[in-house]
Amino acid sequence: MHKRLVFLSLMALMFVACSSDANVFGEYKPIKNGWDKNEKVSFEFQPKDTLNAYNLFINLRNDDSYKFSNLYLIVNLDFPGGKTVSDTLEYEMAKPSGEWLGKGFSSLKESKLYYKENVVFPTMGTYNIAIEHAMRKNGTVEGITSLKGITDVGISIEKSAEK
């Protein structure tokens, strides 16, 4: 009984020590049977204040069926009141050797990609981040209709260390 109590206490302490209060928001959405070129993955959130700075991340999970070493995304950040900031982003997903850059022990890899640093949300209300892929094969104008290998798309918002 005493060993069990010590073990449970140590586990609880490890859980508390490993959890971070820097993470303010985080969510994943699954991609089923390929990411359609017209499919926007959207996330709504409401910041808790208008004073602190935050870092925004795009989180992706991919498996070995992803056939590219990079990823192009179009990301729209909609503010309350109608303002939209649109970005076209490129991320490296693999080393030149083909080894995935994401973390994970199996064929599923998770990548945490910087989107924006030290963002202050100036007004209270609902914000929306919409993410779509902009992948195309070299030499073609048309986008890839269904992007295979991306299994989940997410965002996370963390308090910035800087003010």
Side-chain angles (χ1 to χ4, degrees):
M1 178 70 174
H2 183 278
K3 287 182 183 180
R4 187 175 182 178
L5 183 60
V6 170
F7 176 75
L8 290 174
S9 297
L10 285 174
M11 292 302 291
L13 182 61
M14 284 179 55
F15 177 76
V16 170
C18 293
S19 65
S20 171
D21 64 345
N23 194 14
V24 174
F25 178 85
E27 183 179 356
Y28 273 97
K29 293 192 177 173
I31 303 295
K32 304 269 190 227
N33 304 317
W35 191 357
D36 185 272
K37 72 176 183 175
N38 298 317
E39 178 184 359
K40 292 182 181 181
V41 183
S42 295
F43 303 90
E44 283 189 355
F45 62 96
Q46 295 181 344
K48 296 179 181 176
D49 65 66
T50 59
L51 301 175
N52 289 308
Y54 297 91
N55 295 326
L56 285 65
F57 298 91
I58 296 172
N59 301 310
L60 297 170
R61 292 184 184 128
N62 70 286
D63 61 26
D64 288 336
S65 65
Y66 188 73
K67 298 185 184 311
F68 303 95
S69 63
N70 65 347
L71 177 66
Y72 285 94
L73 299 174
I74 298 171
V75 183
N76 291 317
L77 172 59
D78 298 326
F79 290 73
K83 177 183 172 187
T84 298
V85 175
S86 185
D87 295 292
T88 301
L89 307 167
E90 179 186 12
Y91 295 104
E92 286 187 58
M93 299 295 288
K95 296 178 183 178
S97 66
E99 180 185 349
W100 294 116
L101 294 173
K103 295 180 180 179
F105 296 107
S106 67
S107 64
L108 188 66
K109 300 299 180 190
E110 186 167 358
S111 298
K112 182 177 181 179
L113 311 168
Y114 263 104
Y115 167 41
K116 291 193 177 290
E117 292 182 90
N118 297 316
V119 174
V120 175
F121 299 106
T123 57
M124 296 299 284
T126 301
Y127 290 75
N128 186 66
I129 294 177
I131 305 168
E132 60 186 307
H133 82 80
M135 293 296 291
R136 51 193 33 81
K137 291 185 180 177
N138 285 340
T140 64
V141 175
E142 291 296 315
I144 294 173
T145 305
S146 181
L147 185 62
K148 304 290 185 208
I150 302 294
T151 62
D152 300 273
V153 176
I155 64 164
S156 58
I157 301 172
E158 299 177 4
K159 287 183 183 175
S160 175
E162 297 180 24
K163 283 196 172 188

